Amino acid sequence: MKKGKTMMGLMALTLVAGLFSGCSSNNNTNNEAAKNTGNNGSSAEATAPADGTAAKDIKGDITVITQRTDIVDTVFKEYAAKFNEKYPDVKVNFEALATYEDQIKIRMSTSDYGDVLLLPTSIAVKDIPDFFEPLGKLEEMSKQYTGLEERAVDGVAYGIPMTINFNGIIYNKQVFKDAGITEVPKTPEQFLTALQTIKDKTQAVPLYTNYAAGWTLTQWEADLATVAGDRDYVNIAQVASDDNYVAGQPHYELYKILYDAAQKGLIEEDPTTTDWESSKADLANGKIGTMVLGSWAIGQIKGLATNPDDVGFMPFPTNADKILVPLAGDYNLGVSVHSKNKEAARAWVDWFINDSNYPTTEGGGMSPAIGAELPEILKQYEGTDVTFDTLAPAKAGEEGWSDEIDKQAEIGAWQPDFKKRIIEAAIGNRKESYDDIMKDLNDKWKAARAKVTAQ
């Protein structure tokens, strides 16, 4: 192991908070239904308590809207009780939305969408000030939190990430041990060999795709930068090339692993009958070997495990010289511009990020607070050649090109459709090869790229 790589991995882990600059994984589209007029961002400290305001002076009822239907009646109520130890005169109510993006978009066509909520990715960044209160100047808040840039407008921050996610493969250590696998696979070839060994020597499903859920397949796209081994690839190199889905390029190599695993029978026996909720328990307790997911799922899976220490994380396999695990902010927490108790709402946001254990426990990632301790599951990579880093932003004038090309091409990088197509072809349900699928996607990419770059 080269000293340079060792130091790079260690520095990236210990200084990661200062590196975060956002991720382009979320497609931002205009919300035509939402026409509210609101804060124009002129007051950068709108929700901050006035100087000298004590916690006991902050009062009022607030409604917090969350996507966590699984813990809204348990963990969140415990959070509220702890919050009230500091803010006894704030009553916190919760609403959980099962399909958050769809439901909140409808709510936001009115002024009734709670006091604290997650900034929807369907709201164009430029429109955020119409719906959310400014939390502070980006330059100042960036000294305290990471991951603010993606939802900032004109130098003002409107949200704070609930957690900083990292993406790769969540696996069951006991399954690997039972199969006699002593080292975490690093390359695609090693990974596929490990899956075959799990199939041959255990009763576990080597790789569970969660085909039926659909949205779970979109998690693969987050590992594109790992396959490339380059933080510049997604937003810079990718949009500069017509050859995005051809052999040897990261997209081709990324999804070839999915195709090969399915073709070799290393996935669930009938993908059409998969179940997301039960799969978490099955991975936790050794009935599944691996799943491609983000760190947000770690807490959920560990919570179902008889032995939580069996749940591990590994970087996505790559042939790149550098092992890069990409970091990205989760949903941002913000305050409604229509809240009647903005100081109380802001108090909840700050407490939730800094004083609850959500970012690293229930959120499963890293805390966005600069200087916060790393989650235990990542400490095994301290001093190794694994680097945790953010995606480089696009070049000036090319912001959003990656998403726009994908949108015009109707490929759906962050949709499940072509991933399902790959699985169906691999198991013989479609009469096309992997190369047929990739050629079709690349032709679409090339045509759309010509239009977008010509604008």
Side-chain angles (χ1 to χ4, degrees):
M1 184 183 304
K2 295 181 180 179
K3 182 177 180 181
K5 285 190 176 182
T6 301
M7 291 303 295
M8 185 182 296
L10 181 59
M11 289 174 65
L13 280 163
T14 56
L15 301 178
V16 68
L19 293 173
F20 190 86
S21 60
C23 174
S24 67
S25 64
N26 295 320
N27 294 324
N28 295 318
T29 56
N30 290 326
N31 181 0
E32 295 300 330
K35 300 297 184 182
N36 293 327
T37 57
N39 199 307
N40 61 11
S42 59
S43 174
E45 305 294 341
T47 59
D51 290 342
T53 301
K56 63 182 178 59
D57 296 325
I58 297 178
K59 303 177 181 181
D61 288 13
I62 60 171
T63 296
V64 177
I65 301 181
T66 177
Q67 89 287 27
R68 294 300 301 270
T69 57
D70 55 330
I71 58 174
V72 67
D73 293 325
T74 53
V75 175
F76 272 60
K77 288 189 175 180
E78 293 174 6
Y79 287 158
K82 292 179 181 177
F83 174 78
N84 284 146
E85 293 176 5
K86 183 174 183 180
Y87 299 97
D89 294 322
V90 178
K91 178 175 173 52
V92 184
N93 305 292
F94 297 103
E95 290 184 32
L97 305 183
T99 55
Y100 184 81
E101 287 281 342
D102 293 337
Q103 291 175 273
I104 201 64
K105 185 160 65 171
I106 295 172
R107 289 277 293 273
M108 291 176 70
S109 65
T110 73
S111 61
D112 179 20
Y113 49 92
D115 299 276
V116 177
L117 67 157
L118 313 175
L119 277 63
T121 60
S122 57
I123 301 297
V125 172
K126 65 182 178 62
D127 295 332
I128 287 175
D130 293 339
F131 302 95
F132 291 91
E133 279 290 298
L135 301 184
K137 294 179 180 178
L138 180 62
E139 182 179 0
E140 292 301 316
M141 288 194 63
S142 293
K143 298 175 183 177
Q144 186 177 1
Y145 301 109
T146 60
L148 306 177
E149 294 88 348
E150 189 175 341
R151 292 292 178 262
V153 183
D154 296 331
V156 176
Y158 289 87
I160 303 172
M162 295 193 299
T163 185
I164 302 297
N165 287 322
F166 46 93
N167 284 79
I169 294 173
I170 302 176
Y171 72 106
N172 187 288
K173 295 178 182 178
Q174 187 61 48
V175 170
F176 273 58
K177 183 178 180 180
D178 291 345
I181 303 169
T182 57
E183 294 185 4
V184 171
K186 294 183 177 180
T187 68
E189 294 76 14
Q190 292 172 356
F191 182 63
L192 288 168
T193 297
L195 296 183
Q196 185 66 57
T197 303
I198 290 171
K199 180 178 181 179
D200 294 342
K201 296 186 177 182
T202 76
Q203 297 299 311
V205 177
L207 172 67
Y208 199 83
T209 69
N210 257 306
Y211 171 101
W215 65 267
T216 44
L217 289 169
T218 67
Q219 300 294 289
W220 285 70
E221 187 68 16
D223 294 302
L224 182 62
T226 303
V227 177
D230 183 3
R231 68 185 295 265
D232 291 346
Y233 182 77
V234 174
N235 293 319
I236 299 176
Q238 178 181 211
V239 300
S241 175
D242 283 338
D243 297 328
N244 195 356
Y245 293 87
V246 302
Q249 294 302 308
H251 260 128
Y252 184 100
E253 302 305 324
L254 169 64
Y255 291 107
K256 187 65 161 58
I257 295 174
L258 176 61
Y259 180 87
D260 287 346
Q263 188 183 51
K264 295 175 184 294
L266 304 177
I267 64 171
E268 55 269 48
E269 185 174 355
D270 182 5
T272 63
T273 61
T274 60
D275 179 71
W276 162 245
E277 291 299 332
S278 63
S279 75
K280 292 186 287 185
D282 288 346
L283 176 59
N285 296 304
K287 294 182 179 180
I288 291 172
T290 66
M291 290 200 292
V292 177
L293 292 169
S295 58
W296 56 266
I298 292 173
Q300 297 180 43
I301 294 169
K302 279 180 170 287
L304 298 170
T306 302
N307 181 12
D309 289 340
D310 284 345
V311 180
F313 171 85
M314 71 173 77
F316 194 87
T318 178
N319 284 317
D321 293 334
K322 177 181 179 180
I323 302 176
L324 169 68
V325 176
L327 302 176
D330 203 317
Y331 268 122
N332 276 225
L333 206 59
V335 176
S336 168
V337 73
H338 299 288
S339 173
K340 292 180 173 57
N341 292 298
K342 291 172 183 174
E343 284 192 350
R346 176 62 186 272
W348 172 264
V349 171
D350 289 339
W351 182 90
F352 188 82
I353 297 298
N354 291 286
D355 298 327
S356 81
N357 64 359
Y358 184 91
T360 57
T361 303
E362 299 298 335
M366 302 176 182
S367 170
I370 291 176
E373 187 176 356
L374 289 169
E376 189 67 33
I377 201 167
L378 292 185
K379 290 184 178 179
Q380 62 179 306
Y381 295 110
E382 287 184 343
T384 73
D385 58 353
V386 176
T387 299
F388 291 77
D389 206 346
T390 57
L391 301 184
K395 292 181 178 179
E398 297 181 4
E399 295 88 348
W401 274 16
S402 177
D403 288 341
E404 184 60 28
I405 296 170
D406 177 74
K407 181 180 177 181
Q408 289 205 24
E410 298 183 346
I411 291 173
W414 290 94
Q415 300 297 322
D417 296 353
F418 82 75
K419 290 83 168 173
K420 286 190 171 185
R421 181 180 171 190
I422 288 170
I423 294 172
E424 291 163 4
I427 64 177
N429 289 355
R430 297 178 70 100
K431 293 184 178 180
E432 57 183 344
S433 67
Y434 181 71
D435 283 341
D436 291 336
I437 297 171
M438 291 295 106
K439 183 180 185 305
D440 178 49
L441 298 181
N442 202 70
D443 288 346
K444 292 177 179 178
W445 172 270
K446 183 176 181 179
R449 180 178 175 272
K451 295 178 181 178
V452 171
T453 58
Q455 295 175 3

